[in-house]
Amino acid sequence: MTNELPAKAATIKDVARAAGVSVSVVSRVLNDGSGPVAPDTRERVLAVMEQLAYRPRSAARDLNRATGFSVALVVPDLTNPLFARLADRIVWEARARGVHVVLMTTQEDPYLERELLVSLLDRSVGGVIAIPTGENADHWQALRTHGIHVVFVSRSIESLRGIDSVSIRNTEAAAAATTYLLDRGHRRIGLLSGPSQTTTGSRRLGGYRGALGAVGIADDPALHRHVPFLGQAGADAAAAIVSLPDPPTALIVANTAQVQGILVRLRALGVRVPDDLSVIVFDDAPWMELVDPPLTSVRQPTDLMAMHAIEILVARMQGRAGSETRTVEVSAELIERGSVATRPVAAVAATRRGDGPQ
């Protein structure tokens, strides 16, 4: 399979013009049995279709209907609780509107994502809701050029303009989590976020830095790391941060997929939460209330995000959305539980001297 996309989608009129036949003849070739076509004419039309990379899409015939069309849902990883809940709610919202959903996963692999984007050109989908890896901007743009509407959810791609998106206010959410820790006496605060090429990774780091700067604390690069969503890199980064000569007293895990692995590593290292290290995590899941201590978390409103995403996409497919790009940002909620300790003034002073956690 090639990973290259043509710059502009050929239309049935382009095929008819290049083959020297009428549009009705091309239609009869596409819909075998709908009318007579001479064998040599059929071969010529098929050859032109291949040359122009013409891909008939049955979904185009359904765009003005209220129901009966299909969309693709592209998610990185269904083992990630956030993405699993988002996928479930998007499917639910789509069914409520009579929309069929084709589910695809990229495994956070930009090469696999690229292959899937190419394959979508041969599927009868009128739109795509996607959590992108942060790469393949040209392929996402080419998908739109071929008449397939795209809505990003949770993440977007900074370099792309004109693509609708739905997410939480990531900068605000990370700043709120950092401020919560500052208000409880913490001054050495670590952050583990997603890859820097993702909007969640870059914006959460920006919110964290902004909150520290607002109280006059200089950024310490040793305290924050961008880590992949899959694998053990999050656990390794957490181990490195807590082993610093001047370790943090609090840690924000702003990479949802890495939360469990990081907690397991901290326990293996004998780090007690919150006695030695206070912890706030993105996102929220039922099991976080069951661990000891229950985890303070940043809860994302997945139901609301799913509803916005499918409403925007259906409106685009039905021609009701207008030309303006929709960027929807919703607020996350800080859920207070037991994984954050308040640092007394003496302990804060000791941390500033480099004596470590008290």
Side-chain angles (χ1 to χ4, degrees):
M1 176 186 296
T2 177
N3 286 330
E4 296 301 320
L5 293 172
K8 184 178 180 181
T11 67
I12 193 171
K13 291 182 180 180
D14 296 330
V15 174
R17 187 181 305 112
V21 299
S22 67
V23 170
S24 62
V25 170
V26 177
S27 180
R28 289 199 294 272
V29 172
L30 290 171
N31 300 280
D32 196 23
S34 61
V37 181
D40 60 336
T41 301
R42 179 183 299 277
E43 291 299 322
R44 186 166 73 254
V45 170
L46 291 173
V48 169
M49 288 181 182
E50 183 175 356
Q51 179 185 356
L52 297 181
Y54 174 70
R55 290 172 167 89
R57 291 173 50 242
S58 61
R61 295 194 296 268
D62 297 319
L63 297 187
N64 293 322
R65 301 179 187 175
T67 62
F69 49 79
S70 297
V71 301
L73 174 58
V74 180
V75 299
D77 176 20
L78 287 176
T79 64
N80 184 320
L82 171 65
F83 299 155
R85 290 198 305 276
L86 262 177
D88 180 72
R89 298 310 301 174
I90 287 171
V91 170
W92 193 94
E93 293 286 349
R95 284 178 176 170
R97 294 162 176 78
V99 177
H100 306 292
V101 177
V102 178
L103 179 63
M104 300 175 165
T105 62
T106 65
Q107 304 303 308
E108 296 287 4
D109 183 344
Y111 298 101
L112 178 56
E113 180 184 68
R114 190 178 310 157
E115 291 181 354
L116 292 179
L117 295 182
V118 173
S119 74
L120 283 173
L121 296 176
D122 293 319
R123 292 177 178 265
S124 295
V125 296
V128 180
I129 295 175
I131 303 169
T133 64
E135 302 188 28
N136 297 315
D138 54 339
H139 281 67
W140 284 112
Q141 183 61 51
L143 205 65
R144 298 174 64 228
T145 302
H146 283 71
I148 299 177
H149 300 285
V150 177
V151 177
F152 288 145
V153 63
S154 184
R155 309 174 193 162
S156 57
I157 298 178
E158 296 279 14
S159 62
L160 282 178
R161 298 292 179 266
I163 292 186
D164 300 315
S165 64
V166 179
S167 70
I168 65 166
R169 296 182 176 92
N170 281 290
T171 303
E172 175 187 286
T178 308
T179 300
Y180 181 83
L181 292 169
L182 290 167
D183 289 345
R184 279 145 189 82
H186 296 275
R187 293 300 179 267
R188 293 282 290 172
I189 301 172
L191 174 77
L192 297 176
S193 64
S196 59
Q197 76 269 18
T198 62
T199 49
T200 49
S202 61
R203 291 175 184 175
R204 290 173 188 177
L205 176 60
Y208 158 86
R209 283 172 164 167
L212 293 178
V215 296
I217 297 178
D219 177 48
D220 183 351
L223 288 176
H224 53 77
R225 310 285 172 88
H226 288 292
V227 295
F229 296 109
L230 300 179
Q232 296 298 313
D236 294 341
I241 286 177
V242 299
S243 299
L244 290 170
D246 186 8
T249 62
L251 178 67
I252 301 170
V253 183
N255 182 328
T256 306
Q258 293 283 357
V259 170
Q260 294 185 49
I262 288 170
L263 292 175
V264 169
R265 183 65 64 86
L266 292 176
R267 177 175 293 182
L269 292 171
V271 176
R272 298 168 299 164
V273 176
D275 297 341
D276 301 326
L277 184 72
S278 291
V279 175
I280 296 179
V281 302
F282 283 64
D283 168 54
D284 192 44
W287 66 265
M288 294 179 182
E289 295 185 79
L290 304 177
V291 298
D292 185 20
L295 297 176
T296 297
S297 66
V298 177
R299 178 184 292 167
Q300 304 189 52
T302 51
D303 290 10
L304 187 59
M305 293 164 67
M307 182 190 70
H308 280 303
I310 197 68
E311 283 187 346
I312 292 171
L313 186 61
V314 169
R316 287 285 179 212
M317 295 170 67
Q318 294 177 338
R320 299 185 286 104
S323 58
E324 186 176 349
T325 303
R326 296 283 307 279
T327 301
V328 177
E329 292 185 325
V330 297
S331 293
E333 180 184 6
L334 184 67
I335 307 298
E336 298 183 53
R337 297 196 182 103
S339 61
V340 174
T342 297
R343 302 271 294 167
V345 175
V348 174
T351 300
R352 284 174 172 166
R353 293 195 305 271
D355 296 338
Q358 302 297 308

